[in-house]
Amino acid sequence: MTLMNLRGLRESGGLFAIPVYSYLVGILALVAVGLFRVATGTMPEYNAPVEWLDAHAAEPLALLLLLRAFASGSVALTGAEAVSNGTPSFQKPEVRNAQTTLVIMGALFAIIFGGLSFLASQLHIIPDPHETETVVSQLARSLVGEWRLFDIPLFYYLVQFSTAFLLVIAGNTAFNAFPRLASLLAIDQYLPRQFSFRGDRLGFTAGILVLAIGGGLLVYAYQASVTSLIPLYTVGVFVAFTLSQAGLIRRFWGMRQESGVLPRILIVGVGCAATGVVSVIVAVSKFMLGAWMVLLAFPLLVLMMWAIHRHYERMSHQTVPETPIDANQIRVRAVVPVANLDLPARQAIAYAEAIAGAENAVTLHIADESREESAFRAEYRATEYDAPLVIIDSPYRSLIGPLLAYIRALRETHPDDTVTVVLPEYVPNHWWERLLHNQTAWRIRAALLFGTDMSGVVVITIPYHAR
């Protein structure tokens, strides 16, 4: 699913309708067969494995058990919001078609959910504690498992595979919604700006990757256990419902002077209260089953987004430049750190003389032995460069420290100049060839860019690509 969305998967009504209608045909036929067998007294015998009976310990019919059952049943109601979210995508008249769809979906939901629950109670089906076989699978196997064509239980396979394909489509809903939501938050500067950029396939790549990695980590951490993952989903979805409706009430309240707004406030208020009550019930009844993680994650995410927003706000109000913003006031003083006088180093020295002039450019060499210093000085005199050579003795073979100290001293003696460090860098053809080089340019660049007292220092890289 991640790869398909990264490549630009487009929702196709005709393509997605095949598994949806297959599921409806299979599951409604299963409910009809079950109700017929109940009415005719031909229900099959169901015997759960003994270890399943031992795994489900009996609990007293207490308030907590009722609350847990209510919370689990409430999860089945989720999904109806997809119709309202996608109303603009309906054909005209959009609102009427969305309302019709919602009514049809509610009726189908009531028939399927109520029928399956009734048939499961008639057979006394027990959930598999190992989560290997679903209740729907047990129900289909018991009711129509013996119906075979060429010794193949086609009806049973229709129910199983259509259900699996439908769940894949449902899972893809997150890939359609989260990246777009993340892009809107990024545009409002509550998430990093990378979330607002579209990839080559016009998909929000950052949101897709974050969703895939986060979902994969959850599935791995919980060993793909639906029982363990459902509490996380339940709390998150109902808290989101409550917050979204609370926001809608706030918006309508600002429009309360307009006609017809007060009934909307009443309707949304009732819905907000209902989902709020469910949120509290779910949080209490499933707190120790994993709901505490979501309750902790919500405020942490809000704090993170506020911190991101404050950072972007601070950046937008910066008024003091580190380097002159008038080109006529910029006077470049270039420093070229070199370890030797190979071709990349000579490229960098020539570039420094071109942008700063030989009188304002310095070739800097850090030596750890006096013999090396003499040899390097003689080699440099034999070149055609006019930039003065500065050699710093570093008997302890330190590179970054002496370099930063020299740049600090240069800025103190020439406060009106823009110190520009020109770095020669060898760029190999293959990634593994990078292991053969000590990445000195990367170390110097990191020290200059992230140094606490290096503000205003310009870093230029002169690459030399291997041929």
Side-chain angles (χ1 to χ4, degrees), residues 22 25-27 29-30 140-141 144-162:
S22 299
V25 170
I27 210 73
L30 178 65
R141 179 167 49 82
V144 297
E146 71 275 9
W147 297 5
R148 295 173 178 266
L149 180 64
F150 302 112
D151 203 33
I152 300 175
L154 294 180
F155 199 161
Y156 171 78
Y157 284 154
L158 172 63
V159 173
Q160 289 296 96
F161 284 108
S162 62

Side-chain angles (χ1 to χ4, degrees), residues 92-141:
K92 295 181 180 181
E94 295 90 344
V95 175
R96 177 60 61 84
N97 288 331
Q99 291 173 342
T100 303
T101 303
L102 194 59
V103 171
I104 294 174
M105 188 176 69
L108 290 172
F109 164 76
I111 294 172
I112 294 173
F113 189 70
L116 293 178
S117 300
F118 173 74
L119 295 176
S121 65
Q122 291 296 307
L123 285 173
H124 304 289
I125 289 180
I126 298 176
D128 181 359
H130 307 293
E131 299 188 24
T132 302
E133 187 177 11
T134 64
V135 171
V136 174
S137 173
Q138 296 183 62
L139 189 61
R141 179 167 49 82

Side-chain angles (χ1 to χ4, degrees), residues 74-87 90 98-99 101-107 109 173 233 237-238 241:
S74 299
V75 182
L77 295 171
T78 62
E81 76 282 354
V83 176
S84 58
N85 293 340
T87 299
F90 280 82
Q99 291 173 342
T101 303
L102 194 59
V103 171
I104 294 174
M105 188 176 69
F109 164 76
T173 304
Y233 170 77
V237 76
F238 277 101
F241 287 170

Side-chain angles (χ1 to χ4, degrees), residues 260-290:
V261 174
L262 292 180
R264 296 183 183 181
I265 296 177
L266 179 61
I267 294 173
V268 177
V270 172
C272 182
T275 55
V277 170
V278 175
S279 301
V280 174
I281 292 174
V282 171
V284 172
S285 61
K286 295 186 178 293
F287 185 82
M288 297 308 298
L289 298 177

Side-chain angles (χ1 to χ4, degrees), residues 151-277:
D151 203 33
I152 300 175
L154 294 180
F155 199 161
Y156 171 78
Y157 284 154
L158 172 63
V159 173
Q160 289 296 96
F161 284 108
S162 62
T163 303
F165 288 137
L166 189 74
L167 291 175
V168 170
I169 296 175
N172 192 62
T173 304
F175 285 94
N176 292 329
F178 174 77
R180 188 173 300 277
L181 172 63
S183 72
L184 296 176
L185 288 171
I187 292 173
D188 291 337
Q189 298 185 342
Y190 285 98
L191 281 181
R193 290 172 180 167
Q194 291 87 336
F195 285 92
S196 65
F197 299 148
R198 292 181 182 268
D200 297 337
R201 302 284 181 166
L202 301 181
F204 297 104
T205 305
I208 294 172
L209 292 177
V210 168
L211 179 63
I213 294 172
L217 290 176
L218 280 176
V219 171
Y220 177 78
Y222 285 88
Q223 297 298 302
S225 171
V226 177
T227 303
S228 301
L229 288 169
I230 279 294
L232 306 181
Y233 170 77
T234 309
V235 176
V237 76
F238 277 101
V239 171
F241 287 170
T242 305
L243 292 177
S244 63
Q245 292 180 103
L248 197 57
I249 292 174
R250 180 181 177 184
R251 180 177 184 274
F252 284 155
W253 185 254
M255 304 163 52
R256 60 185 181 277
Q257 303 300 331
E258 301 180 13
S259 61
V261 174
L262 292 180
R264 296 183 183 181
I265 296 177
L266 179 61
I267 294 173
V268 177
V270 172
C272 182
T275 55
V277 170

Side-chain angles (χ1 to χ4, degrees), residues 88 92 113 203 221 241 262 274 286 308 312 318 327 397 405 420 434:
K92 295 181 180 181
F113 189 70
F241 287 170
L262 292 180
K286 295 186 178 293
I308 292 173
Y312 284 130
Q318 296 294 326
R397 301 179 182 273
T420 302
R434 291 186 178 274

